[in-house]
Amino acid sequence: MMKFKILDKFKEEDAICVLCRTSLREYVESLREDFKDYYVQRGIVSNRFLDNLWDTIAKKKHIPAIVLVADGPVPAVEAGQTYALERGYKVLDGLQRSSRIKEAWDAVNFYKSLNDDQQLTPIRFARQHSENLRTREINSSLFQRIIKTSRGGTDLFGLFEQNNIWLEIWFNLDDSKQIQKMLVLNAGHKAVNIKHQVELLFIGYLPILQASLGAARIVREKEQSSLAYSKNREPGEFHFSHLISAFVSLNAGRPITTNADFSASKSFEETDDTDSLLGTDEDLLVSFARLLEKLDRSLNSEDGVKWLGREVVLVGIFGAIGAYAQRKSLSQAEALAVMQSQIGDFVRGLNLGLFERERNSLDLSKVNLGSVNKNAVFHSTLDFLVNPSSKPVNWAFYFGARA
């Protein structure tokens, strides 16, 4: 049985939909053991964003509404009333969220049944109970987060009792209409392009970069894919996702790949500094853009325009600048200034004809081309910063050593 407060209702032919509010505990305790087996659902799928749902629960953030189909006739209910759903129901939309909430609830109950040895780290404590976690189908990483939350002084059961969730519950909806509703609800659930995801996460960078790059054009993934851009780049063009990758690499001091794991982790990051943009000094972002603009003007040959259009090149260059800053105990802005002062020698020594020949000679069955490319650019740029010279880069060495 699940108790909930009715907020609103909607009539559609013979069916009624009621919008309700209930606690996470009421909801999760009412889930039947077979709630995942509804035939119209595709089953539980891998999703890095949903795997982070515990953070949403722990911080008492909003969980999107879940759509249910209830058994039995339409009840005589009005907005403002409290109602107890005694019959069963099926999850029409929100199965993935429901599954993660249920797993979190099971993990909390299992953890509370144990004597927490706080002398052990969460990782070691979870490892100690790994067999029980596997039996209960509880993810070890989730279990460790729950341990950390509890040790931080949070009432775990209170999170489920005090967190509310909205439900849309349909009554008197026959099977064919249930399937129609499910198809409509899932019509937009195609996986979002990773580059587009990353751009959305860092969209606050866009106006600053555009202002700093002057007449340069920043291309968005929705306008042109990064792959198509790389093949057809024009002077003065930059792909927004490439700029993000390069800037993140500068901060990390190494080439960063903006893949699904990166996107998921960044989406749950918090920033402490209210004077910063997504945790970043805006002045550093401006310095980064100005170096890019100078590099673009200097690489005005056909090979140079093509070379700068590759994401692996940008993450290699700026990852190396970040690594140089770390090695020399400089700020990233100071390292950018060093590169800015040496840009002429850097461009003169690039030897891009040899770069293309060495790159094209790689055996793709033996190496990861993207990884070898960015590492070759990274190490050659770092070596240049340590010992500036206009001597042509020996790309055969950098590709051979990193292949």
Side-chain angles (χ1 to χ4, degrees), residues 233-254:
R233 179 180 185 260
E234 297 290 336
E237 285 186 346
F238 295 97
H239 201 277
F240 187 35
S241 68
H242 292 187
L243 299 183
I244 294 165
S245 303
F247 190 70
V248 170
S249 298
L250 170 68
N251 278 281
R254 58 186 175 84

Side-chain angles (χ1 to χ4, degrees), residues 79-109:
Q81 292 181 335
T82 298
Y83 183 76
L85 185 64
E86 297 183 5
R87 297 179 180 86
Y89 60 81
K90 298 180 284 288
V91 180
L92 191 65
D93 184 63
L95 179 66
Q96 311 303 324
R97 275 163 277 151
S98 299
S99 175
R100 267 67 171 197
I101 294 168
K102 180 66 163 60
E103 183 183 0
W105 177 246
D106 291 343
V108 164
N109 278 279

Side-chain angles (χ1 to χ4, degrees), residues 192-201 220-222:
V192 178
N193 178 288
I194 292 302
K195 295 299 183 188
H196 182 58
Q197 274 185 30
V198 170
E199 289 184 356
L200 293 178
L201 291 171
R220 295 280 305 279
E221 183 71 20
K222 65 181 182 179

Side-chain angles (χ1 to χ4, degrees), residues 126-266:
R127 192 173 297 154
Q128 191 177 77
H129 297 280
S130 59
E131 187 59 38
N132 280 318
L133 292 176
R134 277 194 295 272
T135 301
R136 290 170 169 79
E137 297 183 339
I138 296 170
N139 182 276
S140 178
S141 176
L142 168 64
F143 191 65
Q144 292 167 38
R145 292 186 189 186
I146 286 170
I147 295 169
K148 292 176 184 176
T149 302
S150 178
R151 289 180 181 178
T154 299
D155 175 8
L156 297 178
F157 287 134
L159 288 176
F160 286 82
E161 290 161 356
Q162 296 157 19
N163 266 346
N164 289 325
I165 188 168
W166 289 339
L167 306 171
E168 293 180 18
I169 307 178
W170 283 93
F171 294 89
N172 205 31
L173 201 64
D174 63 36
D175 286 354
S176 64
K177 290 180 181 176
Q178 289 177 33
I179 293 172
Q180 290 173 7
K181 293 287 183 193
M182 184 274 294
L183 292 173
V184 170
L185 288 165
N186 287 276
H189 284 194
K190 181 181 177 181
V192 178
N193 178 288
I194 292 302
K195 295 299 183 188
H196 182 58
Q197 274 185 30
V198 170
E199 289 184 356
L200 293 178
L201 291 171
F202 290 85
I203 197 66
Y205 285 12
L206 185 57
I208 297 174
L209 286 169
Q210 186 62 80
S212 304
L213 286 169
R217 174 174 175 251
I218 298 179
V219 180
R220 295 280 305 279
E221 183 71 20
K222 65 181 182 179
E223 299 166 340
Q224 184 181 35
S225 73
S226 57
L227 181 61
Y229 157 84
S230 295
K231 292 179 179 178
N232 302 288
R233 179 180 185 260
E234 297 290 336
E237 285 186 346
F238 295 97
H239 201 277
F240 187 35
S241 68
H242 292 187
L243 299 183
I244 294 165
S245 303
F247 190 70
V248 170
S249 298
L250 170 68
N251 278 281
R254 58 186 175 84
I256 294 294
T257 301
T258 50
N259 54 18
D261 288 347
F262 171 85
S263 178
S265 66
K266 285 295 176 184

Side-chain angles (χ1 to χ4, degrees), residues 303 306 310 352-365 367 369 372-373 395 399:
D303 284 346
K306 181 180 179 181
R310 294 188 174 116
L352 294 182
L354 181 58
F355 176 91
E356 291 298 329
R357 289 195 296 276
E358 291 299 326
R359 176 181 181 275
N360 293 331
S361 70
L362 293 172
D363 186 343
L364 300 184
S365 67
V367 299
L369 183 60
V372 174
N373 268 259
W395 290 111
F399 277 106

